[in-house]
Amino acid sequence: MLKRIISGLVGFILLLTIVIKGGMALSISVLLLSLLGLYEFNSAVSKNGIKYVSIISYTFPFLLFLMFNIRGLGLNIQIILFIYILSILSILVLKKDLLLNDISVTLFSLLYIPFLLFHITLLDGNKLIWLVFITAFGTDTFAYFTGILFGKRKLCPELSPKKTIEGSIGGILGSLLLSLLFLKIFNIEHYVQLGILSIICSIMAQIGDLAASKIKRISNIKDYGNIMPGHGGVLDRFDSILFTAPIVYYYITYLL
């Protein structure tokens, strides 16, 4: 627990610094997290005999990075996805030992990790970017301690035996409480709409956590990595963020 707390504090300070600074620091950080996440995912699924097309996958985050930071290139997500689908299908034809499962998993990883994660970059400069992290980490923290204190009924024992229904409810309430406190401190309006957003994010953060757990179960691993002592790898720590970042972005873009 001590190692987990120290690692968490260091990570929190680093996160605080990067998000406040924003700009290129944030974009580069998201790029690095995407690359590390893809590497962890590659290592996990390779244990199931999947021939992960790493040459294709590791260049995808770089194109997203260029798309967000160099407007003159004329790149957009449709063009990038077209390039990658075309490239992956071409490799399927050229490499006889490659199966449909291999390219399907590779394409899935691109949408699951860098595509979802880069939504953080779209929120750069907006105060509500903090809701991405408040709802995800708040849910995780409150669910953990509520589960320890009051947890009795298992939430999803086949995927995560320690998670409880009581912990899940505690996580949702914790996310709502922290979000409302954040809005109050920074004098941000739309309490009702953003309160609803915090509940949606909390639920989806837990689904994101369980989805990552199922992938680990299928791959027969405990953690994706050990880059964060006591927390595991990038995907262990950011599995919820992958879900909350797009939700926050699309919610405030189209509903506020």
Side-chain angles (χ1 to χ4, degrees), residues 242-256:
L242 292 173
F243 280 53
T244 59
I247 290 172
V248 170
Y249 172 72
Y250 292 121
Y251 190 95
I252 67 175
T253 299
Y254 296 106
L255 296 180
L256 284 186

Side-chain angles (χ1 to χ4, degrees), residues 128-152:
L128 295 179
I129 190 176
W130 293 106
L131 289 180
V132 171
F133 309 103
I134 290 171
T135 56
F137 296 149
T139 296
D140 185 49
T141 302
F142 274 81
Y144 177 78
F145 287 106
T146 304
I148 289 177
L149 295 173
F150 307 107
K152 292 181 180 179

Side-chain angles (χ1 to χ4, degrees), residues 68-214:
F68 286 120
N69 292 281
I70 305 179
R71 304 295 179 184
L73 289 178
L75 289 174
N76 58 46
I77 192 61
Q78 292 95 331
I79 292 174
I80 293 175
L81 286 177
F82 169 73
I83 291 171
Y84 276 89
I85 292 173
L86 195 65
S87 300
I88 288 175
L89 289 175
S90 298
I91 290 176
L92 177 64
V93 172
L94 296 173
K95 295 191 68 174
K96 295 181 180 180
D97 61 336
L98 207 62
L99 302 176
L100 184 59
N101 281 350
D102 302 325
I103 64 167
S104 297
V105 171
T106 300
L107 184 58
F108 166 75
S109 72
L110 303 181
L111 298 175
Y112 174 50
I113 301 169
F115 173 71
L116 294 182
L117 200 58
F118 263 89
H119 282 80
I120 295 174
T121 306
L122 292 172
L123 290 163
D124 186 19
N126 191 321
K127 286 183 181 180
L128 295 179
I129 190 176
W130 293 106
L131 289 180
V132 171
F133 309 103
I134 290 171
T135 56
F137 296 149
T139 296
D140 185 49
T141 302
F142 274 81
Y144 177 78
F145 287 106
T146 304
I148 289 177
L149 295 173
F150 307 107
K152 292 181 180 179
R153 294 170 291 179
K154 298 298 182 182
L155 177 66
C156 198
E158 66 277 9
L159 294 182
S160 188
K162 294 183 179 180
K163 284 182 170 52
T164 63
I165 294 175
E166 293 80 5
S168 176
I169 295 172
I172 294 171
L173 294 176
S175 171
L176 177 60
L177 177 64
L178 291 176
S179 296
L180 292 176
L181 183 61
F182 165 76
L183 298 176
K184 179 67 176 178
I185 291 173
F186 289 93
N187 195 29
I188 300 173
E189 298 179 352
H190 307 295
Y191 283 88
V192 175
Q193 296 96 320
L194 293 175
I196 293 172
L197 173 62
S198 73
I199 293 173
I200 295 172
C201 282
S202 180
I203 294 171
M204 294 308 298
Q206 295 182 58
I207 293 175
D209 187 288
L210 291 171
S213 294
K214 182 156 188 176

